[in-house]
Amino acid sequence: MDEGRSLSIHTVAKTFFAMLTYETLQDVLQHRAKSDPPGRLLLYPLGNTSCPTEITYTRLYEEAQRLSLTIRSLDKFQTGHPVLLHFDDHWDAILLFWSVLLAGGLPVLSSPLSNVEDDRRKHIQALSSLLESLICFTIGNQVI
């Protein structure tokens, strides 16, 4: 093989891989959202493996960016601190995970909760205390 050609391929490969170096997870999402094509997620509703919802990384990034501004504006939000997330729906969990990251917080996903209201409340309070987290996101009446 021609040495000049080999060097050229090596230079191109080195440049390509240097461009794929990310400093944060947020950089990975932004890169996927701005790539062409942007790629997509297939999300399945609980109990249904035949009808996925298709979400592009572009949509995820744009919606997470928008929500991150709201999260950042919350009085009790502190950059770098944990934010507890509890969602049964995959889209909600993924969207809020990235929104908290983009806001500068540390998203912490909660495990499934008890069906007993008092037990749910105690579980969330214990997690909140352990994490020293003042914020917990959920939907409707899932937690409290």
Side-chain angles (χ1 to χ4, degrees):
M1 181 184 263
D2 180 316
E3 188 174 315
R5 184 166 187 253
S6 176
L7 180 60
S8 175
I9 291 171
H10 174 72
T11 302
V12 169
K14 186 176 176 183
T15 302
F16 174 76
F17 287 112
M19 291 180 348
L20 293 181
T21 302
Y22 307 109
E23 292 187 27
T24 65
L25 281 174
Q26 297 89 318
D27 294 340
V28 175
L29 178 59
Q30 182 179 27
H31 178 263
R32 291 302 300 143
K34 294 183 179 195
S35 64
D36 187 27
R40 60 196 172 104
L41 299 166
L42 295 177
L43 306 172
Y44 292 86
L46 289 175
N48 181 344
T49 58
S50 60
C51 298
T53 300
E54 187 175 313
I55 308 288
T56 66
Y57 285 106
T58 303
R59 176 179 169 198
L60 171 59
Y61 182 70
E62 289 170 354
E63 289 193 32
Q65 276 285 86
R66 183 180 49 76
L67 279 173
S68 73
L69 298 175
T70 302
I71 292 168
R72 210 175 291 129
S73 73
L74 296 173
D75 288 338
K76 297 188 183 214
F77 177 78
Q78 297 176 7
T79 301
H81 285 246
V83 175
L84 187 56
L85 305 174
H86 178 79
F87 297 99
D88 291 330
D89 180 79
H90 297 127
W91 169 242
D92 293 334
I94 291 168
L95 178 59
L96 265 294
F97 176 89
W98 285 104
S99 299
V100 169
L101 268 181
L102 291 170
L106 178 63
V108 178
L109 295 167
S110 168
S111 59
L113 299 174
S114 168
N115 290 329
V116 178
E117 186 176 341
D118 192 46
D119 291 346
R120 285 195 309 264
R121 224 182 281 278
K122 287 177 184 175
H123 180 76
I124 291 297
Q125 287 171 344
L127 281 175
S128 184
S129 176
L130 174 70
L131 298 170
E132 297 177 1
S133 177
L134 301 173
I135 300 174
C136 174
F137 289 112
T138 189
I139 295 288
N141 61 1
Q142 286 183 352
V143 178
I144 297 175

